[in-house]
Amino acid sequence: MSRTRTPVVAGWFTEGGDGFRLLGTRCGACTSVFFPREDHRCRNPACGSGELEEVPLSRRGRVWSFTDSRYRPPSPYVTNPELPWEPCALIAVELAAERIVVLGQAAPGVAVADLTVGMEVEVVSGVLHEDAETTWTTWQWRPTGARQDEGRGMTGDVA
Amino acid sequence: MTGDVAVMGVGMHPWGKWGRSFVEYGVAAARAALADAGLDWRDVGSIVGADTVRGGYPGYVAGATFAKALGWQGARVASVYAACASGAQALDTARAQIVAGLADVVLVVGADAAPKGFFRPAGGDRPDDPDWLRFRILGATNPVYFGLYARRRMAMHGDTPDDFARVKVKNAAMGALNPLARYRNPVTAEQVAASAVVADPLRLLDICATSDGGAALVLSSMEFARRHGPAEPVRIRAVSTVTPRFPNTVLDLPDIATDSAAAVDPPGETFRRSIARAAYEEAGIGPEELSLAEVYDLSTALELQWYEDLALCGEGEGAKLLRDGVTALGGRIPVNVSGGLASFGEAVPAQAIAQVCELTWQLRGEAGDRQVAGARVGVSANQGLFGHGSAVVVVQ
């Protein structure tokens, strides 16, 4: 039986003809960008405009930090309790144009040993889990293999 | 200047995994604090409870629950929730009532019986809840965030896992001297290194446990203290409960992304630094005047971050401060002489109150084997979910 591909959250990413992109919103008044998307009011306290439009976020960014989950996370994270837990790497990625850091899982096969702060990664489509009818899709980060630059990010703040 | 309030009494129920109701721990702590103050529960004009935490959100109502368990006597009541900062907000509420003249004596109580294992979100489908979403989409437990912060410090400042282990060794040594702590065995760097990795680069002994415990304070106006209490009581001089400023560019629990700084440059200081600065400004006291600090070591690496956020040293210099022994008992500014969360484990609504209990015992000179010689000024600091944080300045 073929499963339906369904995003784990509606409206946070698209797999359209332009390839996989995270979707945020941008304020038409002050140009602040929001991910997860704000659709009601801009959260810049000096703005508060209601003109928010959907925008795709940059495909590529640089690793702000990374870690992994060595133990099975609790519900509502879905895992198969009959299978041993495989550690999952997580990457916080700084997108230069948006000046934002977005957390995501690493693509399958990417472990913490493969990562360094400052490394370039790109967003790709991933599968969170599958059940009888549905393949639940999500976003993942994958190293591009591009040459690494110096690791300091634009926002510069530590932890 | 807001005006000081007096700490008339402090009390705690020992931390552990006792398997009983949070009410029992809170009442035990409250009775201990009242006894320490030499006051009867019926002398209390207001009780403020720090709510328990369940699934990231308020669990059991605290204030009225403790008031009923102690015996209804008509006191004004409030309950507050601010995740890990709940205890400090309860203290802040009490202080505001005293300064405003609404009550002379206020009892502040926090207690919890923590569920086992990872903190997890509330049940059911909650796609509008950021705390639920980070578990559903990413499996991002609290230690995942602690691991991200630790790795960032390694990349930016050259901290090492050995530095992180050194925090645990220091705090375990001090916790061994504290009869109220849950973990009272010294820990070696080898034991930290041999414990399992939970969220790279952090190991089990780098991350605080979740515990049962209770803590309480009896606060009063300075005038009441002059009439009924010690001539020179320990005083609360400042309480900071500020929120972040947009854009908050440090990934914060339970968020999946930071604010964007595309349109507005980030403020000149991080959220955590602003928590400390607000406390110092309100107190009219600088970090160089501190005798000791109690900080929220949810992980070992986070303790080093607090050194910098409290301006005990410059940015990136936290590990050096630790290595030089400055933050150990006998150092220039001992940090977490109680043993910290490393030795207690977190009983969320009680923890920020317990920090103030420790500062009070230290400033009175009643801390026994872990006494900081000549302690005059102490600060506590903490941060929890959803943009909550606190810092409390206590003076003698």
Side-chain angles (χ1 to χ4, degrees), chain A residues 9 30-31 33 35 43-44 64-71 76-77 98-101 103 105 128-129 157-159, chain B residues 121 135-139 144 148 151-152 157 196-200 249-250 256-261 263 265 272:
Chain A
V9 186
C30 80
T31 74
V33 175
F35 181 86
R43 288 194 289 103
N44 173 2
W64 184 84
S65 192
F66 60 91
T67 185
D68 61 6
S69 294
R70 296 291 176 97
Y71 291 86
Y77 193 73
E98 294 85 357
R99 299 184 76 186
I100 193 173
V101 174
L103 186 57
Q105 292 184 337
L128 188 60
H129 67 99
D157 299 312
V158 178
Chain B
F135 283 94
R136 171 72 181 97
I137 303 172
L138 302 171
V144 159
L148 290 170
R151 174 61 63 181
R152 180 74 180 170
H157 302 318
V197 175
V198 174
D200 179 275
T249 56
V250 180
I256 287 173
T258 64
D259 290 337
S260 156
D265 281 332
R272 263 195 302 270

Side-chain angles (χ1 to χ4, degrees), chain A residues 158, chain B residues 153 156-159 163 273 303-305 307-309 311-324 326-327 332:
Chain A
V158 178
Chain B
R153 285 195 61 85
M156 300 298 284
H157 302 318
D159 290 7
D163 293 324
R273 277 179 183 255
E303 175 167 317
L304 300 181
Q305 186 67 47
Y307 296 175
E308 298 162 22
D309 294 334
L312 306 182
C313 62
E315 185 177 334
E317 296 172 355
K320 181 176 187 304
L321 204 68
L322 174 74
R323 281 187 225 119
D324 291 348
V326 174
T327 59
R332 177 171 57 79

Side-chain angles (χ1 to χ4, degrees), chain B residues 38-242:
Chain B
L39 292 171
D40 189 278
W41 156 235
R42 287 165 296 180
D43 299 329
V44 171
S46 172
I47 179 169
V48 187
D51 284 339
T52 70
V53 56
R54 291 292 181 275
Y57 291 90
Y60 297 98
V61 168
T65 299
F66 295 131
K68 182 179 180 184
L70 289 161
W72 294 122
Q73 49 87 320
R76 180 187 289 265
V77 67
S79 297
V80 303
Y81 180 77
C84 296
S86 297
Q89 287 203 356
L91 188 166
D92 196 37
T93 301
R95 180 180 74 139
Q97 292 181 348
I98 292 166
V99 170
L102 297 173
D104 266 345
V105 180
V106 185
L107 176 62
V108 178
V109 191
D112 209 348
K116 189 174 163 53
F118 287 123
F119 280 139
R120 59 184 67 200
D125 272 356
R126 296 165 61 93
D128 294 333
D129 173 6
D131 193 52
W132 186 87
L133 283 171
R134 57 136 170 168
F135 283 94
R136 171 72 181 97
I137 303 172
L138 302 171
T141 58
N142 293 357
V144 159
Y145 289 80
F146 307 154
L148 290 170
Y149 303 149
R151 174 61 63 181
R152 180 74 180 170
R153 285 195 61 85
M154 291 170 70
M156 300 298 284
H157 302 318
D159 290 7
T160 67
D162 288 346
D163 293 324
F164 302 151
R166 208 170 270 119
V167 175
K168 176 71 174 187
V169 171
K170 171 184 73 73
N171 289 351
M174 297 198 277
L177 304 174
N178 190 342
L180 295 165
R182 174 178 174 190
Y183 301 105
R184 299 199 56 207
N185 291 321
V187 172
T188 64
E190 292 72 27
Q191 286 173 306
V192 179
S195 66
V197 175
V198 174
D200 179 275
L202 297 177
R203 296 174 179 275
L204 187 63
L205 292 183
D206 285 303
I207 296 168
C208 90
T210 61
S211 293
D212 297 1
L217 305 167
V218 177
L219 304 181
S220 80
S221 64
M222 291 304 297
E223 189 199 344
F224 183 93
R226 271 190 288 274
R227 281 186 278 122
H228 299 272
E232 292 292 331
V234 169
R235 288 159 286 160
I236 306 290
R237 174 136 307 165
V239 184
S240 165
T241 56
V242 296

